[in-house]
Each structure stands twice: as C-alpha cells, then as structure tokens.
Amino acid sequence: GENVEQHPSTLSVQEGDSAVIKCTYSDSASNYFPWYKQELGKRPQLIIDIRSNVGEKKDQRIAVTLNKTAKHFSLHITETQPEDSAVYFCAASIGTGGFKTIFGAGTRLFVKA
Amino acid sequence: SAVISQKPSRDICQRGTSLTIQCQVDSQVTMMFWYRQQPGQSLTLIATANQGSEATYESGFVIDKFPISRPNLTFSTLTVSNMSPEDSSIYLCSVVSGQGVTTDTQYFGPGTRLTVL
C-alpha cells in the first residue's frame, strides 16, 4: 500500500525566512497531493494541493512542487510569519476510481518572532 | 468548499460504553471518511463510509468496534463500541467534494475529542 514519508519532523525558522518541508510517496498511482495546516485544537485545513499533471503551484507565500519521477513533493513557505506556526501534513491520494488519502507524519513548524 | 459539522464536539465516557458521533455536510458529497488522530500524531483512516452499504474498513479497524452508517449523501455516523482508555482520541469526519476527478478536494470536520476513563 501507499506510504508517505515526511521530513523534517520539527522545523524552527526566524520570522521572514523560508521554510521547506519534503515528502516522498511510494505508490506511483497517486495523483493528488494536498497539504494541510493544523493549529492546536483545530481541524486540518487544506492550504494548497497539486495534481499529477502539474509540476508546481503557487498561492501567495505558499508553493508546492511535485517530481513524479522521483516520487517526491515539497511545500515552500516564504517570508514566514509567527501565524504560520502549526503542524503541516502532506498527503498522497489516488483520486481516480475511488479516493484514498495517506498522510505523512507531520512537521511541527515554529516561526520565531 | 463543503461545510462539515460534527456532534458531539467532545465527550468523556466510561469504559465499556459506546458513543455515536454524527457528521453532517451542507451539500451532497461523493465520499465520506472517518479518521482517528491520537495526541501528537498524524491522521489514520478508519474507514470509508459507503452510502447504503457496509463501510470499507482499513487494516486494524473492524466493524464490530467501529460500526458506521451512511444513510444518505450528507450524513454519516461512527460508533466507538465497548470503549477502553486506548480509544481516547480525536475522531474526524472527512469528505471529498468537487466536480470530478480533476477537482475533487478533501476537507475535514472539526473533530470529536473523546476521553475514555
């Protein structure tokens, strides 16, 4: 079955710096890769996603890249702010003929003011 | 995006009892799921709730322990049966909503925080 590995488990950056979180997946049939942000005591919130026919997607300070050949994808946050502090989860999903999402272990991001 | 509500938001239960969690969506969705998130951990899929038929369970989860219903396209329930302290966790309803395979997106409900004493 699908396995998603996520690194690092913890990331601490200074406000204004960039943060990068990397994930790898095992099932080449995966075609949908969402990223979720979870603040303490709250639900996971979808912040950006990418589908397998796209190599890169950007939304303001957040960007995601996908390398299907290498089976890895990354989240990039630029100009980090203290409110970016949260746990971030990557996920890989097979979205055709069903929908099954496997999540990475999560990255706890601390942005120091 | 779909608006998802769950009831109860939290509960404290005695071991050996059962709790039913409800999930309501404001629009028809293609798929509904139930996840468990233990403290400080990632999300683990319990099962896919299938409308009008038995749920599809993941390895390690069984129907006798986690019976699931989905009577229509906007509502599902998860029951945690014969609870033990190890069942203490957050249980999240999740849905897939969209126009088709190129736009389907997965969203999460607010979760139900369960504590078993």
Side-chain angles (χ1 to χ4, degrees):
Chain A
E2 175 69 282
N3 182 52
V4 178
E5 295 193 359
Q6 182 171 348
H7 301 280
S9 57
T10 305
L11 179 60
S12 184
V13 300
Q14 203 67 38
E15 182 178 3
D17 289 349
S18 295
V20 180
I21 302 171
K22 299 182 178 181
C23 291
T24 61
Y25 62 99
S26 60
D27 193 336
S28 56
S30 293
N31 55 10
Y32 175 60
F33 305 91
W35 286 86
Y36 293 87
K37 175 184 180 182
Q38 188 174 34
E39 297 176 66
L40 189 64
K42 297 189 177 181
R43 77 183 82 189
Q45 292 275 12
L46 179 70
I47 56 172
I48 195 168
D49 57 12
I50 191 167
R51 300 180 196 270
S52 59
N53 58 345
V54 176
E56 184 173 355
K57 184 176 179 181
K58 189 174 182 180
D59 183 3
Q60 298 181 14
R61 297 187 296 109
I62 296 173
V64 58
T65 59
L66 171 65
N67 183 327
K68 284 205 69 180
T69 303
K71 295 184 195 169
H72 65 70
F73 55 115
S74 301
L75 177 72
H76 304 252
I77 306 174
T78 59
E79 301 172 26
T80 53
Q81 302 166 2
E83 50 266 38
D84 294 330
S85 297
V87 178
Y88 291 81
F89 292 100
C90 66
S93 182
I94 300 173
T96 304
F99 204 101
K100 183 170 179 177
T101 305
I102 303 299
F103 286 81
T107 296
R108 187 172 296 275
L109 174 65
F110 297 96
V111 180
K112 296 176 287 187
Chain B
S1 64
V3 177
I4 309 167
S5 60
Q6 282 185 236
K7 286 195 293 188
S9 58
R10 59 177 62 223
D11 207 343
I12 301 173
C13 301
Q14 298 297 320
R15 70 172 66 205
T17 63
S18 298
L19 176 71
T20 295
I21 303 167
Q22 298 180 2
C23 176
Q24 180 74 56
V25 193
D26 70 338
S27 59
Q28 292 186 352
V29 294
T30 52
M31 302 189 76
M32 297 181 78
F33 307 91
W34 287 97
Y35 283 80
R36 182 172 73 183
Q37 186 175 30
Q38 296 181 307
Q41 302 296 311
S42 186
L43 298 104
T44 300
L45 179 63
I46 297 171
T48 302
N50 299 310
Q51 190 220 346
S53 64
E54 191 172 291
T56 305
Y57 290 85
E58 297 301 307
S59 176
F61 298 96
V62 295
I63 187 171
D64 290 346
K65 177 66 176 178
F66 298 101
I68 288 170
S69 78
R70 187 181 174 191
N72 56 50
L73 293 176
T74 63
F75 185 79
S76 177
T77 66
L78 167 74
T79 299
V80 186
S81 303
N82 188 26
M83 289 184 284
S84 66
E86 292 72 37
D87 295 320
S88 297
S89 189
I90 297 173
Y91 292 85
L92 296 129
C93 174
S94 178
V95 306
V96 170
S97 173
Q99 303 300 317
V101 294
T102 59
T103 60
D104 282 347
T105 305
Q106 187 168 4
Y107 301 99
F108 284 86
T112 296
R113 183 181 294 273
L114 171 62
T115 302
V116 184
L117 302 177

